[in-house]
Amino acid sequence: MIIARSIAEAREEIGKARAAGRKIGFVPTMGYLHEGHLSLVELSKKQSNYQVMSIFVNKIQFNDKKDYDSYPRELERDFAMARAAGVDLMFTPNDDEMYKNQLTFVDVEHLTDNLCGAHRPGHFRGVYTVVSKLFNIIQPDVSVFGQKDIQQAVTIEKMVEDLNFPVKIVIAQIIREKGGLAMSSRNKHLTPENRERALSIIRGLKAAELLIASGERNGEILINEIEKQIKDGKPDKIDYISLVSYTTLQKVTRLEEKAVLAVAAFFGSTRLIDNMIIDKMGDSFRCVY
Ligand code: AMP
């Protein structure tokens, strides 16, 4: 695995791979890798044959300085994991080179009105800006994003369409720990007690799935059930529990088309997000989480 710490080095190496006819797959991350990140590489390998991963804790997407400062970082461990997963090139740029001017930003309107967009001011603008820059630097053929950050994945698809980036976006399923907690770098901050309490999120999503299977289509009833389950886990704060359309990410009151039930809640000072895609199959719905 080649480690490129500058934009010029990354461009040079990827240029060689492209000249040799390789198809470039790209997985952007903020590091402190886990199985979820590695599953993205696996998926990328199915559609490309030169794997690029980036690790960059992107300062401008953090709306909370404490969260940025405490974000787990362990590059040597990450390099070993990425190497074992078959990453060909690891790109770890630095702040000075990535944000020389900080005058140009990318934003996606409307689709960021709800969910994390409403609760983390400036967050998505930081995400779209860094992803655009990374796409320009790496020029991947394929790039994989996780359903775990559903609003990010859906809006990046739109950004790619709107700005004509020549890249195919693939969305990967959520990888979970044994008990069902969605893997996240931030889980490192959970105390054993909060980790146990956080399982109330998956219990909530599963309870909603059961209701949907029994024919429930009323959004408020589904949300209330999830809220009841999560409150049993004594969260420190619930940011949102929302039912939104998959395509517009606007709130819906009834389940009629493909939708997403999404949750953000704090356990201790750790903010966790999770979701379930509710896919329409004829007259019935299938939950993917
Ligand atoms: P992050 O390092 O948290 O910015 O995440 C980098 C990428 O990994 C994003 O596309 C995330 O959606 C994805 N990801 C994070 N957690 C998981 C997970 N548990 N399962 C699958 N993908 C994930």
Side-chain angles (χ1 to χ4, degrees):
M1 183 177 82
I2 291 168
I3 299 170
R5 297 177 198 270
S6 72
I7 295 172
E9 276 175 278
R11 283 204 163 126
E12 192 185 331
E13 288 302 327
I14 296 164
K16 281 192 238 165
R18 197 175 292 110
R22 309 281 283 273
K23 206 169 163 191
I24 315 298
F26 175 46
V27 174
T29 82
M30 296 205 299
Y32 204 70
L33 300 182
H34 52 67
E35 296 287 316
H37 297 115
L38 303 182
S39 77
L40 269 46
V41 176
E42 279 314 304
L43 202 56
S44 176
K45 279 184 187 168
K46 297 204 167 108
Q47 307 205 22
S48 61
N49 55 8
Y50 187 86
Q51 303 312 317
V52 180
M53 176 185 275
S54 62
I55 295 182
F56 181 59
V57 185
N58 179 36
K59 204 170 193 161
I60 69 163
Q61 76 182 65
F62 284 80
N63 53 314
D64 174 354
K65 188 173 180 306
K66 259 198 246 142
D67 185 27
Y68 173 75
D69 289 339
S70 67
Y71 200 84
R73 294 160 168 93
E74 234 178 284
L75 276 185
E76 290 307 320
R77 165 189 171 279
D78 287 351
F79 290 165
M81 286 171 77
R83 194 176 289 118
V87 170
D88 297 290
L89 182 112
M90 173 64 82
F91 179 44
T92 57
N94 61 59
D95 277 350
D96 290 346
E97 199 184 13
M98 286 295 272
Y99 292 121
K100 250 192 240 162
N101 304 327
Q102 277 204 66
L103 296 170
T104 309
F105 298 89
V106 181
D107 218 342
V108 176
E109 297 187 349
H110 306 305
L111 275 69
T112 45
D113 292 347
N114 290 308
L115 312 180
C116 288
H119 290 267
R120 301 185 65 189
H123 165 68
F124 281 117
R125 180 176 180 257
V127 171
Y128 307 134
T129 302
V130 80
V131 171
S132 298
K133 288 168 69 68
L134 291 167
F135 282 175
N136 282 331
I137 295 163
I138 288 153
Q139 300 185 16
D141 296 286
V142 178
S143 187
V144 187
F145 290 82
Q147 178 194 328
K148 161 85 188 330
D149 300 86
I150 188 68
Q151 191 171 23
Q152 170 175 285
V154 169
T155 52
I156 281 175
E157 278 185 327
K158 291 283 186 265
M159 178 189 86
V160 160
E161 229 175 86
D162 285 353
L163 297 183
N164 307 96
F165 281 108
V167 57
K168 178 179 174 193
I169 302 298
V170 174
I171 301 184
Q173 69 177 71
I174 303 174
I175 303 296
R176 297 178 180 279
E177 293 179 4
K178 266 202 212 93
L181 180 66
M183 286 192 183
S184 164
S185 307
R186 289 189 178 87
N187 290 356
K188 177 179 196 272
H189 297 315
L190 290 171
T191 61
E193 193 191 359
N194 282 330
R195 188 175 280 265
E196 196 59 36
R197 288 178 172 169
L199 294 177
S200 58
I201 297 178
I202 187 69
R203 279 198 293 274
L205 293 177
K206 284 186 168 169
E209 179 186 33
L210 278 179
L211 285 176
I212 293 165
S214 70
E216 188 56 66
R217 300 290 179 260
N218 182 319
E220 201 181 325
I221 293 178
L222 298 173
I223 289 168
N224 287 346
E225 177 61 28
I226 298 177
E227 187 178 355
K228 192 179 103 200
Q229 298 287 338
I230 294 183
K231 282 194 168 160
D232 276 351
K234 302 203 167 38
D236 288 79
K237 186 182 164 203
I238 297 178
D239 252 0
Y240 61 79
I241 303 169
S242 297
L243 178 67
V244 296
S245 148
Y246 183 88
T247 36
T248 66
L249 300 181
Q250 300 300 319
K251 288 186 186 169
V252 293
T253 52
R254 276 191 74 77
L255 198 49
E256 277 161 357
E257 296 301 329
K258 185 171 179 179
V260 180
L261 263 169
V263 170
F266 284 85
F267 289 84
S269 56
T270 308
R271 185 176 185 274
L272 301 178
I273 57 171
D274 205 340
N275 70 82
M276 165 162 104
I277 295 175
I278 311 163
D279 230 336
K280 189 157 191 214
M281 325 271 283
D283 282 341
S284 62
F285 286 92
R286 189 176 65 105
C287 296
V288 183
Y289 52 87

